[in-house]
Amino acid sequence: DSGVTQTPKHLITATGQRVTLRCSPRSGDLSVYWYQQSLDQGLQFLIQYYNGEERAKGNILERFSAQQFPDLHSELNLSSLELGDSALYFCASSAPGTGNSPLHFGNGTRLTVT
Amino acid sequence: AQKVTQAQTEISVVEKEDVTLDCVYETRDTTYYLFWYKQPPSGELVFLIRRNSFDEQNEISGRYSWNFQKSTSSFNFTITASQVVDSAVYFCALRGDSNYQLIWGAGTKLIIKP
């Protein structure tokens, strides 16, 4: 168990809808990262937050947004969903400090857009 | 620019064989960190190991071993006496001190046949 909690585990929704994915980082971790993994694809970095502030942005679509709350949990909002948004969405967290802190991943949310 | 190359897209071996997964990286940073992650068929991403650029000692953990060679910019992963439970996608990743973003390889799918 990595200590990172993601909910829900599975989500099935229709095109055009909006969903929210939730992530609770490991205790003590200040950084939260969101990744997208499409079928048989690698990991695409979406966005990173550090202690409530956006730290880095990757290939995140304008239809997607995220935030990190004062209690350090994070939410990823996906709107105007398209079939191509079907993927496994991972949240990860890491300890504060130097770059040698590994990312610890949650079990992911599997999103299916129909 | 930083880059991680996992040239082996898929490897298939018979149980009990030894197998090596290659990881070649590029970075101009003098201080950097290398990571290996495992993604079994169940989907979760599991952190396996971290190596700092200034520590070239190889590491062994049970049947797993890692060979870090700065001279060839490689951080290869060997599984000895492979088991079916080792079947997974394995990702190598790099983080340099210049921007702390994690650069991922495309992953190697390892299939261990009984």
Side-chain angles (χ1 to χ4, degrees):
Chain A
D1 183 4
S2 70
V4 178
T5 303
Q6 282 188 255
T7 57
K9 287 185 179 179
H10 301 277
L11 204 48
I12 301 174
T13 189
T15 55
Q17 295 298 305
R18 172 189 169 96
V19 296
T20 297
L21 312 184
R22 196 178 190 278
C23 170
S24 293
R26 293 190 321 161
S27 176
D29 286 358
L30 300 181
S31 281
V32 169
Y33 307 75
W34 286 98
Y35 282 85
Q36 179 193 57
Q37 186 180 38
S38 301
L39 191 63
D40 292 334
Q41 296 293 312
L43 291 158
Q44 298 295 321
F45 169 65
L46 296 179
I47 198 164
Q48 177 199 353
Y49 282 84
Y50 180 84
N51 203 19
E53 300 288 326
E54 183 183 303
R55 172 63 67 89
K57 223 171 191 177
N59 300 321
I60 188 167
L61 300 172
E62 286 191 11
R63 300 183 286 108
F64 296 179
S65 64
Q67 54 184 326
Q68 186 179 26
F69 295 87
D71 67 353
L72 300 178
H73 91 271
S74 178
E75 292 181 355
L76 178 66
N77 300 297
L78 314 176
S79 61
S80 303
L81 285 168
E82 302 174 359
L83 294 178
D85 297 328
S86 296
L88 193 52
Y89 290 85
F90 284 106
C91 167
S93 71
S94 68
T98 63
N100 66 350
S101 299
L103 271 61
H104 295 274
F105 285 82
N107 288 336
T109 293
R110 186 169 296 280
L111 173 66
T112 303
V113 182
T114 62
Chain B
Q2 300 187 45
K3 187 178 177 182
V4 175
T5 301
Q6 294 181 258
Q8 304 149 310
T9 305
E10 185 174 305
I11 300 174
S12 180
V13 300
V14 177
E15 200 174 19
K16 296 183 184 176
E17 286 186 20
D18 298 348
V19 57
T20 295
L21 310 182
D22 298 332
C23 173
V24 174
Y25 62 91
E26 295 176 28
T27 181
R28 292 184 179 180
D29 292 334
T30 53
T31 300
Y32 53 90
Y33 312 93
L34 296 160
F35 306 84
W36 275 97
Y37 285 82
K38 174 182 180 180
Q39 186 175 34
S42 49
E44 70 273 23
L45 274 158
V46 180
F47 165 66
L48 294 178
I49 191 172
R50 170 195 60 215
R51 174 62 67 218
N52 303 330
S53 56
F54 43 86
D55 180 4
E56 288 193 68
Q57 279 192 342
N58 292 325
E59 182 150 342
I60 298 174
S61 176
R63 296 182 297 104
Y64 294 176
S65 63
W66 290 268
N67 182 7
F68 176 36
Q69 290 198 340
K70 288 179 78 169
S71 60
T72 55
S73 297
S74 65
F75 186 41
N76 297 337
F77 174 28
T78 297
I79 301 175
T80 303
S82 60
Q83 299 177 2
V84 172
V85 293
D86 296 325
S87 295
V89 178
Y90 290 87
F91 291 96
C92 180
L94 161 74
R95 181 192 279 139
D97 256 7
S98 61
N99 67 5
Y100 285 169
Q101 286 307 304
L102 200 55
I103 308 301
W104 293 84
T108 296
K109 184 174 184 178
L110 177 63
I111 301 169
I112 310 296
K113 299 177 184 175

